Structure formats: structure tokens, C-alpha cells
Amino acid sequence: MNKQQIADSIRAIYDYPKPGIIFRDITTLIGDAKIFYEVIEIFKNRYQGQKIDFVAGIEARGFVFGAALSYAMGVGFIPIRKKGKLPYTTVSEKYSLEYGFDEVEMHIDAFRGVENARVVLVDDLIATGGTAEASVKLIKSMSAQCIEAAFVINLKGLEGEKRLTPYTQVFSIVEYEGK
């Protein structure tokens, strides 16, 4: 299977959630067992042999890919969620939105005592990069290393990867121009 087949499996929904936006719907990708398997294999093959301790996934679609990858690699999974969604003591990182701020959190004991934990951050898509940047900073604030931020989709026109490169490497399987 090639990257074009993966790209072709992602449904484009025009003018959603507002006019001028092309929403990249991954439900068609994850609904195809062969393609979903291939995406996880691409990620797994990339990180095998790098002594990864944890995979962290950004709420909510990052949970789909991150949990599958952590299972495939035999490592723990760490959910990174919006503020107020985790039940135990958390650490948080704020990030700016177009009009205001938001916050991501993870449990204070997420790395379970593993010193200098090696973490791969996973999400379905990187656009402007605000949530991903906050997530990388959150991982680093816990004295862990974010080895790489991995995405199924990179919306190149929005340049989100540029926000992450001061903190970590960025990898994506498919790229689209535009919004």
C-alpha cells in the first residue's frame, strides 16, 4: 500500500465546519481495516528500535491512532485531554486560540516513574499546531523527551509543523495543501 491509497481513503468534506474549510474525515480511513492497519504499521516501523516508553495521544482522534500504536509497540498509552476531563491530579499547558486560550492536561503520574521517558506524540492531523505545541511542552514539563510528533495528515498550508520544530521532530504520512 502506498501513501496515495491512504490519502485517497480520507474523505474530504467541503465547507465544514464553515465555508471555505475542507474537513479531512478520518472515519473512512479507520473504517477500512487494511488501510488502518497500514497506517499503524507505518508508525510502528518508524519507531521500532528507538526505545519508546510511551505513546501520547491528543483528544480525541489522537486516541484512536495513539492507542492502536501503543498496543502494536507494547508500550503504555497516555491520554492528553482538554482541561477538566481527567479524574486525577493533572499538570496542564495553556495555548492560544484565535479568540482566547485553551488548555491541555495529563495526569501528574502519567510516566509512572520512568525517568527521562521517551514519548511519541500522536494525532490524526496537524493544522496550525497550537494543541500539538502545547502537548509537546506538557510532555517536556514532566521531564520526558518527546522524540517526535506524528500525524496521519499534515495540512501544509497552515504551517503547524513550524510551531513544533523548535521542540521536536515532526512526521506525517500524507500532506494536503490548503485549509
Side-chain angles (χ1 to χ4, degrees):
M1 181 164 309
N2 63 42
K3 290 182 180 187
Q4 188 59 51
Q5 289 172 300
I6 294 169
D8 290 345
S9 77
I10 300 165
R11 179 174 28 212
I13 301 174
Y14 294 86
D15 297 320
Y16 181 83
K18 60 184 184 179
I21 302 294
I22 303 171
F23 184 85
R24 301 297 174 170
D25 179 14
I26 53 93
T27 62
T28 48
L29 181 156
I30 62 177
D32 184 315
K34 287 181 182 179
I35 292 176
F36 186 41
Y37 176 85
E38 184 64 27
V39 166
I40 299 306
E41 283 295 298
I42 289 169
F43 285 143
K44 181 178 114 180
N45 291 335
R46 183 167 181 85
Y47 302 113
Q48 231 166 11
Q50 292 193 36
K51 298 180 182 168
I52 301 302
D53 296 304
F54 298 95
V55 173
I58 301 172
E59 182 176 353
R61 293 178 299 270
F63 291 4
V64 173
F65 296 100
L69 178 59
S70 69
Y71 175 79
M73 294 182 66
V75 301
F77 176 74
I78 297 169
I80 296 179
R81 301 206 63 191
K82 300 285 184 175
K83 184 172 178 59
K85 301 285 188 173
L86 291 170
Y88 187 63
T89 307
T90 61
V91 291
S92 64
E93 183 73 34
K94 286 186 180 181
Y95 61 100
S96 61
L97 300 168
E98 189 175 354
Y99 299 104
F101 292 90
D102 210 340
E103 213 165 333
V104 290
E105 296 180 322
M106 66 186 213
H107 282 141
I108 198 161
D109 61 353
F111 298 122
R112 293 164 189 79
V114 176
E115 292 197 25
N116 299 313
R118 295 173 56 84
V119 181
V120 174
L121 177 68
V122 178
D123 204 359
D124 68 322
L125 177 144
I126 184 166
T128 60
T131 307
E133 179 185 22
S135 298
V136 170
K137 288 179 176 180
L138 184 59
I139 291 165
K140 289 180 174 274
S141 77
M142 296 296 295
S143 300
Q145 302 171 57
C146 185
I147 302 307
E148 193 162 65
F151 306 92
V152 178
I153 302 165
N154 180 359
L155 298 180
K156 292 288 286 181
L158 299 178
E159 300 185 339
E161 74 274 13
K162 288 183 180 178
R163 287 181 76 165
L164 297 184
T165 54
Y167 309 104
T168 192
Q169 299 291 329
V170 178
F171 172 74
S172 59
I173 296 174
V174 297
E175 297 179 340
Y176 297 101
E177 291 298 328
K179 306 172 201 167

